[in-house]
Amino acid sequence: MSRDLRSLPKAHLHVHVESTVRPGTLRELAEANGVPVPGPVPEGGFTGFRAFADHNSLIRDCLRRPADFERLGREYCEDEAAQGVGYAELTFTAASHGERLGDLEMPLEALLRGLAAGREATGLEFGVLLDHSRRRSVERAWRTLDLARRYADQGVLGIGLAGDESYPLAPFAEVCAAAEKEGLHRVHHAGEAAGPASIREALTLGRAERLGHGIRVLEDAALVAEVAALGVPLEVCPSSNVALGLAPSWAGHPLPQLREAGLLVTLNTDIPVSLGVTLSEEYALARDWFGFSDEVLAELAEASVRASFAPAPTKARLCAGIAAWLATAP
């Protein structure tokens, strides 16, 4: 008999908060704001990254008023806490929302208010990473960095490059260097749709401290050794990889091989509500498909805590909780 994965303390490091909107909330926001209700993810997953991005844009368009972003933050905390998440680092495309709505600060300020209220109600600790699409302008990336700098005292931890990896990270090298100089964290999507070269670019020009996805590191043995030696964590999201056609199936996902290669692997959802999978269910799927024992799942949970940017006392508390979970009879 296996232990309840919802009670396993864990950190959630790769989740786009716009993709956590509850279906009922999404319908209410769409109706209130007079926009179409986004349909479900196509059966069999997306036909490619562009199809995913288009679907995600429909969700984002439902978020328009300060109250929408506040609600998103509150409900996010409630839903994560119910999955045993004690600490979360959520990704938010703040500058894009701000430009879309004609108020650069409002979406981020409102989300942070909602998250603070959610933390008060649930105890969930959080940090926010502001991402920027590689397809968009360097000017917007500088605006993203400015938002991260100005709201660092309210929980914003840093920045990251996301979006279509066929677009290079190189144009944003100066932004990443400035972020490092200011003490802001850097976490970039790489090695998901693109190969090892995108990972090298993220580590060098992007000054990445973690890799969003990074699953294609296995295509370059020397890079595997380098990433393992550096201890750069991977934010692995199997359900998302399968839905986007970046892994053939759960059975064919390289999660076990990444662990066997000595890499620091964390388990995440990426776009949970879009795929109908919670973080606990992601752990359960890993158990079902790969036969992972509770000990291995506890290792993954502990890796997520160690790879996070959480304060030391938070890490210690969560690791103690993981040990207690494992010590309890199933």
Side-chain angles (χ1 to χ4, degrees), residues 17-172:
V17 69
E18 299 93 337
S19 295
T20 70
V21 187
R22 297 170 180 171
T25 297
L26 191 61
R27 285 193 299 272
E28 291 179 17
L29 297 183
E31 292 169 2
N33 290 317
V35 297
V37 180
V41 173
E43 189 172 345
F46 297 101
T47 56
F49 185 84
R50 187 71 260 151
F52 157 69
D54 290 344
H55 182 267
N56 205 36
S57 293
L58 295 175
I59 296 175
R60 292 166 185 257
D61 198 39
C62 295
L63 298 161
R64 298 198 169 195
R65 303 163 298 175
D68 301 342
F69 292 98
E70 288 187 33
R71 182 175 179 181
L72 172 61
R74 289 195 309 273
E75 293 184 351
Y76 172 79
C77 291
E78 293 168 4
D79 294 342
E80 290 285 72
Q83 297 301 317
V85 178
Y87 176 80
E89 290 176 4
L90 52 142
T91 296
F92 184 56
T93 315
S96 174
H97 286 294
E99 290 180 5
R100 173 173 63 88
L101 298 171
D103 186 337
L104 191 62
E105 292 82 9
M106 182 277 285
L108 179 57
E109 288 181 353
L111 178 72
L112 290 170
R113 285 196 300 271
L115 289 168
R119 178 178 56 202
E120 185 69 22
T122 67
L124 176 75
E125 297 182 50
F126 67 86
V128 179
L129 295 164
L130 304 184
D131 69 335
H132 173 79
S133 171
R134 297 162 179 261
R135 296 176 59 241
R136 303 303 178 185
S137 69
V138 175
E139 289 72 24
R140 182 191 282 178
W142 283 111
R143 287 192 285 273
T144 297
L145 175 60
D146 184 56
L147 284 170
R149 178 193 302 116
R150 289 194 284 125
Y151 291 90
D153 62 345
Q154 296 182 46
V156 176
L157 300 172
I159 64 168
L161 275 297
D164 189 339
E165 291 175 7
S166 65
Y167 290 79
L169 184 148
F172 307 99

Side-chain angles (χ1 to χ4, degrees), residues 53-308:
D54 290 344
H55 182 267
N56 205 36
S57 293
L58 295 175
I59 296 175
R60 292 166 185 257
D61 198 39
C62 295
L63 298 161
R64 298 198 169 195
R65 303 163 298 175
D68 301 342
F69 292 98
E70 288 187 33
R71 182 175 179 181
L72 172 61
R74 289 195 309 273
E75 293 184 351
Y76 172 79
C77 291
E78 293 168 4
D79 294 342
E80 290 285 72
Q83 297 301 317
V85 178
Y87 176 80
E89 290 176 4
L90 52 142
T91 296
F92 184 56
T93 315
S96 174
H97 286 294
E99 290 180 5
R100 173 173 63 88
L101 298 171
D103 186 337
L104 191 62
E105 292 82 9
M106 182 277 285
L108 179 57
E109 288 181 353
L111 178 72
L112 290 170
R113 285 196 300 271
L115 289 168
R119 178 178 56 202
E120 185 69 22
T122 67
L124 176 75
E125 297 182 50
F126 67 86
V128 179
L129 295 164
L130 304 184
D131 69 335
H132 173 79
S133 171
R134 297 162 179 261
R135 296 176 59 241
R136 303 303 178 185
S137 69
V138 175
E139 289 72 24
R140 182 191 282 178
W142 283 111
R143 287 192 285 273
T144 297
L145 175 60
D146 184 56
L147 284 170
R149 178 193 302 116
R150 289 194 284 125
Y151 291 90
D153 62 345
Q154 296 182 46
V156 176
L157 300 172
I159 64 168
L161 275 297
D164 189 339
E165 291 175 7
S166 65
Y167 290 79
L169 184 148
F172 307 99
E174 289 186 15
V175 180
C176 296
E180 182 181 41
K181 186 176 181 180
E182 301 231 11
L184 292 164
H185 294 292
R186 291 84 52 207
V187 180
H188 307 306
H189 288 54
E192 181 189 17
S198 73
I199 295 175
R200 291 191 181 280
E201 189 180 46
L203 293 173
T204 54
L205 297 179
R207 302 165 188 258
E209 297 168 86
R210 285 201 313 257
L211 294 169
H213 301 287
I215 58 174
R216 293 184 61 181
V217 66
L218 293 173
E219 297 173 15
D220 185 329
L223 183 59
V224 169
E226 180 181 342
V227 172
L230 291 172
V232 177
L234 306 185
E235 302 167 352
V236 180
C237 311
S239 290
S240 172
N241 297 152
V242 172
L244 270 65
L246 302 170
S249 63
W250 257 94
H253 193 278
L255 175 62
Q257 289 74 34
L258 292 166
R259 283 177 43 81
E260 291 162 7
L263 296 162
L264 181 55
V265 174
T266 69
L267 198 56
N268 308 274
T269 63
D270 195 12
I271 47 174
V273 172
S274 297
L275 301 180
V277 59
T278 66
L279 185 57
S280 293
E281 290 167 343
E282 198 83 19
Y283 275 73
L285 286 164
R287 178 165 61 191
D288 294 343
W289 281 105
F290 304 126
F292 285 170
S293 65
D294 284 355
E295 287 75 17
V296 170
L297 296 171
E299 288 176 8
L300 285 166
E302 185 173 350
S304 72
V305 174
R306 289 193 290 120
S308 77

